[in-house]
Amino acid sequence: MKKLFRIFALPILLFQVTHVVAGIIYTNPETNSKLVNIRSNIIIGVNSKLDPLAVKDRSVIKVTGSQSGKHEVLIRITKDRMKMIFEPETPFELGEVVNVNVNIDKYLPLKNRTGNFEFSFTTQKTLSQKVHNTLYGDKYLTGIEPDQDQYSYHPGTIPEITVSNSLPSDGKIFLSNFPFTNIANTPYLLILNNNGSVHTAVRLKQNGADFKKTKKGTLTFFSDNEAKFFEMDNNYNIIDSFYCGNGYSTDIHELQLLDNSHALLMSYDEQIIDMSSIVAGGNPSATVIGLIIQEIDENKNVVFQWRSWDHIPITDASHQDLTASRIDYIHGNAIELDNDGNILISSRHLDEITKISRTTGEIIWRLGGSRNQFQFINDPDKFNYQHGIRRLPNGNIILFDNGNFHTPPYSRAVEYALDEANKTATMVWQYKNTPVIFGFAMGFAQRLENGNTFISWGSTNPSATEVTPEGNIVQEIFLPPGIYSYRSFKYEWNGPSAFIDTLRNNIPLKFSLEQNFPNPFNPSTTINFDIPEYSRVNLSIFDCLGRKINTLIERELNFGPYSIEFTPNSLPSGIYFYRLTVNEQSETKKMILLK
């Protein structure tokens, strides 16, 4: 059995505009990219639909590493036929230069043909560490597991939450609880009634985050235990999971599910950088953390990737100590799909909202921070160290301004009207509490359907406040001292009331099976499948009478995509099927026809 790595790779010049040729408008990694993950795929984006026959032509690309040599690749075309994905069968080597030659002319319209397109990129020098729990601001959360008495549900393990009401909007409050310090706490996903009573409590093994309702009515949350996001139906069954590809760990700050069944995620990417060559007194072996934004399709293939290393210099982080041994220079904390299909991201340590082209990967504009391109009107303080970014139905944007560098510090929710052509940002609404509330980390601002705003204050109390457009408080939520929620939300919710100790796993398994083999027998059949993390797997072949012919796998496997080849050998012609059982819960059958 061979495990296939999910990876992508293509070119770009650091902090320069990507050079494209005729029909090719996007590559990942970009030309001359540095610090590329060794498990990265190569993505080519074009400006006209590709001929599907390109997937059968291995001559369209040549990938050669300076140390690893020639790479065989698997070829895919995205559903919209605007991108080709090339998946190397083996990882690249550390610190090598990879050369790529692409010739897809015969699969493009005549006017968009490019000839040979060549580029190169350089892989990372060292392996990155997982940093998904570097999380909620400037703190590191350890995922402290509660003691055994608290581990099983009983009423005392849910934090005591106090709510003060004065005609709040309808709906239920969504949050997850965790401590910054080693105090007694059992982590839950909580859905509360307006009076603070518990509607639903889902106990977790470790901390959870970003618990929210999706546009399609399901629920999603990040599990620190599994280091990925999960989706639940309205009966709290897990129906899907979401995680970064290309060798990157999944960051907890944001998951956005899109209407086309794709998802937007982010990853924090640690690299060793010689900062002495960048700033005076810099550490020659500093750990610097960049940001990766990914779009994954319904099969968990990365179809778009953006890396801060290619576009934003480390020195743009004006509030960071660039002589330190560890520098988190971006600290992305929110992703929003904009109305025009492009991407907005919030980068706390840049004090910046950035708009990125989802077609080319180029930066469209930068709002706030040291490279601000907008004139701020009615808001001399601007925002800094912010969390969250959302485009509102009225076309404005709203965010939570943590305000760490206001004098004195204060936090607020703030709404801007953006003129993207003339580059102006006009503050049209804000809520700053009296007396001032300052949440140094975390937080969010959610505009409700009735016009009220639900504000998560982050690392302080009150935990959340609902205010009217006029700034009148209609609800306040208080968690116990030392207990916080990364974000809180308010939604209409009709799911059942429940106390759940163990989440039920109904993740559907996806399979592909090729049958175009020559007569008289198929030389082999390749079975591809994905599994959840650390699952007990049984993969067996049966004949049409249900008699077991062969057991291909019977053991525990790590999560991810797998491929196994079934060779019929001397089997007679007939119909056979395989049965894949995961954790002895999910079962799927697929027919194999031997001609």
Side-chain angles (χ1 to χ4, degrees), residues 474-501:
V474 294
Q475 187 175 58
E476 287 187 295
I477 297 100
F478 296 84
L479 287 165
I483 304 297
Y484 306 100
S485 183
Y486 162 53
R487 289 174 171 176
S488 302
F489 299 92
K490 197 167 194 181
Y491 305 106
E492 294 288 339
W493 180 248
N494 296 317
S497 177
F499 294 98
I500 300 172
D501 272 345

Side-chain angles (χ1 to χ4, degrees), residues 323-390:
T323 65
S325 61
R326 185 179 181 86
I327 305 166
D328 182 3
Y329 91 105
I330 298 286
H331 201 93
N333 56 34
I335 313 172
E336 172 78 338
L337 186 69
D338 206 353
N339 295 336
D340 57 8
N342 294 308
I343 295 172
L344 300 174
I345 64 170
S346 167
S347 298
R348 172 177 168 90
H349 290 178
L350 296 176
D351 312 306
E352 177 177 310
I353 304 300
T354 313
K355 184 166 182 172
I356 299 166
S357 169
R358 196 155 144 247
T359 303
T360 67
E362 294 302 322
I363 290 177
I364 297 173
W365 48 250
R366 302 176 68 176
L367 170 68
S370 62
R371 299 296 184 99
N372 173 53
Q373 296 175 305
F374 284 73
Q375 177 188 2
F376 280 79
I377 300 173
N378 301 335
D379 190 25
D381 283 357
K382 306 183 181 64
F383 57 84
N384 61 72
Y385 260 40
Q386 78 289 340
H387 275 78
I389 175 64
R390 291 294 186 262

Side-chain angles (χ1 to χ4, degrees), residues 377-379 392 394 396-400 412-417 426-432 445-448 451-455 457 465-472:
I377 300 173
N378 301 335
D379 190 25
L392 298 174
N394 64 8
N396 297 343
I397 63 169
I398 191 170
L399 56 86
F400 179 71
R412 61 176 174 162
V414 59
E415 177 183 349
Y416 296 100
T426 303
M427 187 184 74
V428 296
W429 182 87
Q430 68 170 333
Y431 178 79
K432 182 168 63 173
Q446 177 193 11
R447 181 60 49 81
L448 304 179
N452 289 359
T453 302
F454 194 74
I455 304 168
W457 295 105
T465 303
E466 182 182 342
V467 298
T468 66
E470 296 75 30
N472 298 316

Side-chain angles (χ1 to χ4, degrees), residues 3 8 41 71 79 81 127 152 164 212 228 230-231 235 314 332 369 400 456 466 490 547 595:
K3 180 171 181 178
F8 287 65
N41 277 6
H71 285 260
K79 188 179 292 186
R81 291 168 48 193
L127 291 177
S152 297
S164 172
K212 64 192 178 192
K228 57 184 172 182
F230 290 97
E231 181 181 15
N235 288 311
I314 299 169
F400 179 71
S456 305
E466 182 182 342
K490 197 167 194 181
R547 295 174 297 193
K595 298 179 180 179

Side-chain angles (χ1 to χ4, degrees), residues 147-167:
D147 62 43
Q148 193 61 41
D149 289 340
Q150 294 178 319
Y151 200 59
S152 297
Y153 168 74
H154 58 84
T157 64
I158 295 178
E160 185 176 341
I161 298 170
T162 304
V163 175
S164 172
N165 285 326
S166 173
L167 298 177

Side-chain angles (χ1 to χ4, degrees), residues 58-59 61-73 88-92 96 98-99:
R58 288 182 172 265
S59 69
I61 189 169
K62 295 179 182 178
V63 181
T64 307
S66 59
Q67 301 175 43
S68 56
K70 183 179 178 181
H71 285 260
E72 295 296 326
V73 299
E89 293 191 351
T90 57
F92 301 114
E96 72 171 341
V98 178
N99 293 299

Side-chain angles (χ1 to χ4, degrees), residues 22-216:
I24 296 178
I25 58 174
Y26 170 78
T27 66
N28 177 74
E30 301 184 24
T31 301
N32 296 332
S33 279
K34 312 295 182 186
L35 309 175
V36 173
N37 195 292
I38 60 172
R39 297 174 61 189
S40 187
N41 277 6
I42 296 168
I43 309 173
I44 301 289
V46 295
N47 62 2
S48 58
K49 290 186 180 295
L50 286 155
D51 187 329
L53 292 176
V55 297
K56 298 184 177 181
D57 186 355
R58 288 182 172 265
S59 69
V60 298
I61 189 169
K62 295 179 182 178
V63 181
T64 307
S66 59
Q67 301 175 43
S68 56
K70 183 179 178 181
H71 285 260
E72 295 296 326
V73 299
L74 301 177
I75 303 174
R76 295 183 177 88
I77 292 180
T78 55
K79 188 179 292 186
D80 62 6
R81 291 168 48 193
M82 301 301 289
K83 288 175 182 169
M84 292 190 75
I85 302 172
F86 304 97
E87 180 182 330
E89 293 191 351
T90 57
F92 301 114
E93 296 290 336
L94 292 171
E96 72 171 341
V97 176
V98 178
N99 293 299
V100 182
N101 182 291
V102 180
N103 192 338
I104 55 176
D105 274 1
K106 55 187 171 182
Y107 303 109
L108 290 171
L110 184 63
K111 64 179 180 178
N112 291 330
R113 295 187 174 180
T114 66
N116 281 346
F117 178 47
E118 296 186 64
F119 60 88
S120 63
F121 57 87
T122 305
T123 60
Q124 64 198 98
K125 296 178 181 178
T126 59
L127 291 177
S128 299
Q129 310 238 341
K130 287 187 178 180
V131 289
H132 66 269
N133 60 348
T134 61
L135 177 46
Y136 305 87
D138 300 322
K139 292 279 186 179
Y140 286 75
L141 296 192
T142 59
I144 299 165
E145 195 157 309
D147 62 43
Q148 193 61 41
D149 289 340
Q150 294 178 319
Y151 200 59
S152 297
Y153 168 74
H154 58 84
T157 64
I158 295 178
E160 185 176 341
I161 298 170
T162 304
V163 175
S164 172
N165 285 326
S166 173
L167 298 177
S169 62
D170 293 335
K172 291 183 169 53
I173 301 157
F174 287 65
L175 57 85
S176 55
N177 58 293
F178 66 89
F180 270 170
T181 57
N182 191 6
I183 61 177
N185 178 71
T186 300
Y188 279 91
L189 306 177
L190 294 174
I191 303 176
L192 308 177
N193 298 308
N194 254 340
N195 63 5
S197 63
V198 175
H199 176 272
T200 294
V202 178
R203 183 182 57 80
L204 301 177
K205 291 182 178 179
Q206 288 187 326
N207 293 319
D210 197 31
F211 179 41
K212 64 192 178 192
K213 182 181 173 183
T214 70
K215 291 180 180 179
K216 62 181 181 177

